[in-house]
PDB file of all heavy atoms in Angstrom:
ATOM      1  N   HIS X  10       2.647  61.402 -11.854  1.00  0.00           N
ATOM      2  CA  HIS X  10       1.435  62.183 -12.077  1.00  0.00           C
ATOM      3  C   HIS X  10       1.506  63.484 -11.295  1.00  0.00           C
ATOM      4  O   HIS X  10       1.895  63.530 -10.138  1.00  0.00           O
ATOM      5  CB  HIS X  10       0.196  61.413 -11.619  1.00  0.00           C
ATOM      6  CG  HIS X  10      -1.017  62.257 -11.524  1.00  0.00           C
ATOM      7  ND1 HIS X  10      -1.613  62.822 -12.578  1.00  0.00           N
ATOM      8  CD2 HIS X  10      -1.737  62.649 -10.386  1.00  0.00           C
ATOM      9  CE1 HIS X  10      -2.696  63.466 -12.213  1.00  0.00           C
ATOM     10  NE2 HIS X  10      -2.794  63.398 -10.908  1.00  0.00           N
ATOM     11  N   HIS X  11       1.166  64.528 -11.917  1.00  0.00           N
ATOM     12  CA  HIS X  11       0.996  65.803 -11.241  1.00  0.00           C
ATOM     13  C   HIS X  11      -0.108  66.526 -11.949  1.00  0.00           C
ATOM     14  O   HIS X  11      -0.267  66.494 -13.176  1.00  0.00           O
ATOM     15  CB  HIS X  11       2.310  66.615 -11.260  1.00  0.00           C
ATOM     16  CG  HIS X  11       2.720  66.985 -12.644  1.00  0.00           C
ATOM     17  ND1 HIS X  11       2.261  68.116 -13.290  1.00  0.00           N
ATOM     18  CD2 HIS X  11       3.606  66.372 -13.449  1.00  0.00           C
ATOM     19  CE1 HIS X  11       2.844  68.154 -14.453  1.00  0.00           C
ATOM     20  NE2 HIS X  11       3.673  67.139 -14.632  1.00  0.00           N
ATOM     21  N   ALA X  12      -0.880  67.240 -11.182  1.00  0.00           N
ATOM     22  CA  ALA X  12      -1.963  68.104 -11.727  1.00  0.00           C
ATOM     23  C   ALA X  12      -1.550  69.523 -11.592  1.00  0.00           C
ATOM     24  O   ALA X  12      -1.082  69.921 -10.533  1.00  0.00           O
ATOM     25  CB  ALA X  12      -3.264  67.828 -11.015  1.00  0.00           C
ATOM     26  N   ALA X  13      -1.668  70.214 -12.662  1.00  0.00           N
ATOM     27  CA  ALA X  13      -1.333  71.674 -12.649  1.00  0.00           C
ATOM     28  C   ALA X  13      -2.496  72.447 -13.241  1.00  0.00           C
ATOM     29  O   ALA X  13      -3.117  71.982 -14.186  1.00  0.00           O
ATOM     30  CB  ALA X  13      -0.042  71.908 -13.438  1.00  0.00           C
ATOM     31  N   GLY X  14      -2.764  73.556 -12.641  1.00  0.00           N
ATOM     32  CA  GLY X  14      -3.852  74.414 -13.136  1.00  0.00           C
ATOM     33  C   GLY X  14      -3.430  75.839 -13.068  1.00  0.00           C
ATOM     34  O   GLY X  14      -2.290  76.175 -13.044  1.00  0.00           O
ATOM     35  N   ALA X  15      -4.427  76.687 -12.980  1.00  0.00           N
ATOM     36  CA  ALA X  15      -4.181  78.144 -12.835  1.00  0.00           C
ATOM     37  C   ALA X  15      -3.414  78.367 -11.513  1.00  0.00           C
ATOM     38  O   ALA X  15      -3.572  77.609 -10.596  1.00  0.00           O
ATOM     39  CB  ALA X  15      -5.464  78.889 -12.896  1.00  0.00           C
ATOM     40  N   ALA X  16      -2.666  79.417 -11.504  1.00  0.00           N
ATOM     41  CA  ALA X  16      -1.818  79.703 -10.296  1.00  0.00           C
ATOM     42  C   ALA X  16      -2.683  79.965  -9.038  1.00  0.00           C
ATOM     43  O   ALA X  16      -2.290  79.650  -7.993  1.00  0.00           O
ATOM     44  CB  ALA X  16      -0.969  80.881 -10.577  1.00  0.00           C
ATOM     45  N   ARG X  17      -3.869  80.482  -9.248  1.00  0.00           N
ATOM     46  CA  ARG X  17      -4.690  80.725  -8.056  1.00  0.00           C
ATOM     47  C   ARG X  17      -6.174  80.758  -8.468  1.00  0.00           C
ATOM     48  O   ARG X  17      -6.483  80.923  -9.630  1.00  0.00           O
ATOM     49  CB  ARG X  17      -4.357  82.074  -7.453  1.00  0.00           C
ATOM     50  CG  ARG X  17      -4.437  83.284  -8.351  1.00  0.00           C
ATOM     51  CD  ARG X  17      -3.809  84.525  -7.751  1.00  0.00           C
ATOM     52  NE  ARG X  17      -3.652  85.549  -8.722  1.00  0.00           N
ATOM     53  CZ  ARG X  17      -4.595  86.483  -8.988  1.00  0.00           C
ATOM     54  NH1 ARG X  17      -5.689  86.504  -8.321  1.00  0.00           N
ATOM     55  NH2 ARG X  17      -4.406  87.379  -9.969  1.00  0.00           N
ATOM     56  N   PRO X  18      -7.031  80.539  -7.495  1.00  0.00           N
ATOM     57  CA  PRO X  18      -8.482  80.490  -7.849  1.00  0.00           C
ATOM     58  C   PRO X  18      -9.016  81.925  -8.212  1.00  0.00           C
ATOM     59  O   PRO X  18      -8.311  82.888  -7.872  1.00  0.00           O
ATOM     60  CB  PRO X  18      -9.152  79.949  -6.586  1.00  0.00           C
ATOM     61  CG  PRO X  18      -8.169  80.259  -5.532  1.00  0.00           C
ATOM     62  CD  PRO X  18      -6.805  80.227  -6.139  1.00  0.00           C
ATOM     63  N   PRO X  19     -10.118  82.007  -8.853  1.00  0.00           N
ATOM     64  CA  PRO X  19     -10.680  83.318  -9.183  1.00  0.00           C
ATOM     65  C   PRO X  19     -10.939  84.146  -7.887  1.00  0.00           C
ATOM     66  O   PRO X  19     -11.359  83.595  -6.934  1.00  0.00           O
ATOM     67  CB  PRO X  19     -11.934  83.043  -9.918  1.00  0.00           C
ATOM     68  CG  PRO X  19     -12.316  81.683  -9.537  1.00  0.00           C
ATOM     69  CD  PRO X  19     -11.064  80.928  -9.191  1.00  0.00           C
ATOM     70  N   GLY X  20     -10.684  85.438  -7.971  1.00  0.00           N
ATOM     71  CA  GLY X  20     -10.912  86.303  -6.825  1.00  0.00           C
ATOM     72  C   GLY X  20     -12.400  86.451  -6.513  1.00  0.00           C
ATOM     73  O   GLY X  20     -13.292  86.269  -7.369  1.00  0.00           O
ATOM     74  N   ARG X  21     -12.702  86.776  -5.272  1.00  0.00           N
ATOM     75  CA  ARG X  21     -14.065  86.994  -4.839  1.00  0.00           C
ATOM     76  C   ARG X  21     -14.706  88.109  -5.578  1.00  0.00           C
ATOM     77  O   ARG X  21     -15.922  88.053  -5.938  1.00  0.00           O
ATOM     78  CB  ARG X  21     -14.185  87.227  -3.322  1.00  0.00           C
ATOM     79  CG  ARG X  21     -13.626  86.097  -2.467  1.00  0.00           C
ATOM     80  CD  ARG X  21     -14.475  84.859  -2.669  1.00  0.00           C
ATOM     81  NE  ARG X  21     -14.295  83.835  -1.621  1.00  0.00           N
ATOM     82  CZ  ARG X  21     -13.358  82.884  -1.631  1.00  0.00           C
ATOM     83  NH1 ARG X  21     -12.584  82.752  -2.672  1.00  0.00           N
ATOM     84  NH2 ARG X  21     -13.290  82.062  -0.654  1.00  0.00           N
ATOM     85  N   LEU X  22     -14.006  89.176  -5.903  1.00  0.00           N
ATOM     86  CA  LEU X  22     -14.568  90.294  -6.631  1.00  0.00           C
ATOM     87  C   LEU X  22     -14.967  89.853  -8.036  1.00  0.00           C
ATOM     88  O   LEU X  22     -16.069  90.192  -8.497  1.00  0.00           O
ATOM     89  CB  LEU X  22     -13.582  91.459  -6.718  1.00  0.00           C
ATOM     90  CG  LEU X  22     -14.075  92.695  -7.471  1.00  0.00           C
ATOM     91  CD1 LEU X  22     -15.349  93.248  -6.852  1.00  0.00           C
ATOM     92  CD2 LEU X  22     -12.956  93.738  -7.566  1.00  0.00           C
ATOM     93  N   ARG X  23     -14.152  89.084  -8.670  1.00  0.00           N
ATOM     94  CA  ARG X  23     -14.462  88.576 -10.045  1.00  0.00           C
ATOM     95  C   ARG X  23     -15.687  87.695  -9.991  1.00  0.00           C
ATOM     96  O   ARG X  23     -16.535  87.796 -10.856  1.00  0.00           O
ATOM     97  CB  ARG X  23     -13.234  87.803 -10.576  1.00  0.00           C
ATOM     98  CG  ARG X  23     -13.355  87.420 -11.977  1.00  0.00           C
ATOM     99  CD  ARG X  23     -12.064  86.849 -12.518  1.00  0.00           C
ATOM    100  NE  ARG X  23     -12.254  86.437 -13.900  1.00  0.00           N
ATOM    101  CZ  ARG X  23     -11.419  85.607 -14.509  1.00  0.00           C
ATOM    102  NH1 ARG X  23     -10.296  85.236 -13.875  1.00  0.00           N
ATOM    103  NH2 ARG X  23     -11.635  85.246 -15.728  1.00  0.00           N
ATOM    104  N   LEU X  24     -15.770  86.809  -9.013  1.00  0.00           N
ATOM    105  CA  LEU X  24     -16.979  85.980  -8.875  1.00  0.00           C
ATOM    106  C   LEU X  24     -18.237  86.797  -8.631  1.00  0.00           C
ATOM    107  O   LEU X  24     -19.312  86.550  -9.131  1.00  0.00           O
ATOM    108  CB  LEU X  24     -16.817  84.953  -7.750  1.00  0.00           C
ATOM    109  CG  LEU X  24     -15.946  83.791  -8.036  1.00  0.00           C
ATOM    110  CD1 LEU X  24     -15.695  82.951  -6.725  1.00  0.00           C
ATOM    111  CD2 LEU X  24     -16.528  82.905  -9.080  1.00  0.00           C
TER     112      LEU X  24
END
Side-chain angles (χ1 to χ4, degrees):
H10 166 67
H11 63 84
R17 57 191 169 92
R21 298 297 196 269
L22 178 60
R23 188 171 175 196
L24 284 172

